[in-house]
Amino acid sequence: MAHIALFHSVLGLRPAELLAAERLRGAGHEVVAPDLFDGGTATTVDEGLQLLDRVGWATAVGRARQALEAMPDQTVLAGVSMGTGIVTDLWAERPDTGGVLLLHGAAKLPASARAGLKVQLHAADPDDFAPAENVAALQRAARERGVELEVFRYPGVGHFYTDPELDEFDDSAAELTWRRVLEFLG
């Protein structure tokens, strides 16, 4: 069993993240999915960015940090799109994290990332939030620091391909992603 902190996208804490948390719980994991926007949700990325501007990045990260206070140091950090940025900010503070899951967005590897740490990235291909140059930089940094990075790209799907409420949803790619995530956590 893993402890997992799942941080939502710029669309807010929505059924997609709650469904993901339930899927992970159903596999025997303990999961927290904090609401970083205090109930606010959006239907488009532009609306979500406006919501994020109102909430403020520091407040969102603070709420994520607060959700981690009761979690063990080995908690797996998982982020969905914007949530990967939250993971990036918190990762440096949690050098003993049990793993990192990046869904729909690439993150920067903190200098404190330890050798042997397992990281997975799942993103559409192409995806403006996981451009090839950012993924390549992450891969280089992982090699240099001995981080065990797996990158999975899903050609021809939209950015939020795991969200069944959005037009970008792709059942096959979503199921493959969740199967790989559960293997990673196992």
Side-chain angles (χ1 to χ4, degrees), residues 30-172:
E30 184 175 316
V31 183
V32 296
D35 185 348
L36 307 179
F37 291 170
D38 195 28
T41 61
T43 57
T44 67
V45 171
D46 287 340
E47 288 176 8
L49 291 171
Q50 292 171 8
L51 180 58
L52 176 59
D53 284 344
R54 284 193 300 276
V55 170
W57 185 256
T59 298
V61 172
R63 288 174 177 160
R65 188 177 287 118
Q66 185 177 20
L68 285 169
E69 286 176 0
M71 301 292 285
D73 291 344
Q74 297 78 22
T75 296
V76 173
L77 302 177
V80 177
S81 192
M82 177 208 77
T84 63
I86 299 290
V87 167
T88 298
D89 281 9
L90 297 176
W91 188 351
E93 301 170 10
R94 298 183 66 87
D96 294 328
T97 186
V100 175
L101 287 167
L102 307 170
L103 303 163
H104 310 290
K108 292 185 180 176
L109 198 69
S112 62
R114 69 180 186 285
L117 179 66
K118 294 184 179 189
V119 178
Q120 270 191 353
L121 166 64
H122 298 268
D125 187 16
D127 189 328
D128 291 341
F129 296 98
E133 59 273 11
N134 291 13
V135 174
L138 178 61
Q139 289 172 312
R140 278 191 304 278
R143 277 192 304 275
E144 290 168 5
R145 294 190 183 102
V147 170
E148 296 179 29
L149 172 67
E150 291 181 289
V151 174
F152 298 103
R153 301 303 301 252
Y154 302 86
V157 300
H159 174 65
F160 285 119
Y161 69 87
T162 62
D163 189 329
E165 291 191 334
L166 299 177
D167 291 340
E168 296 173 322
F169 178 67
D170 185 286
D171 187 51
S172 296

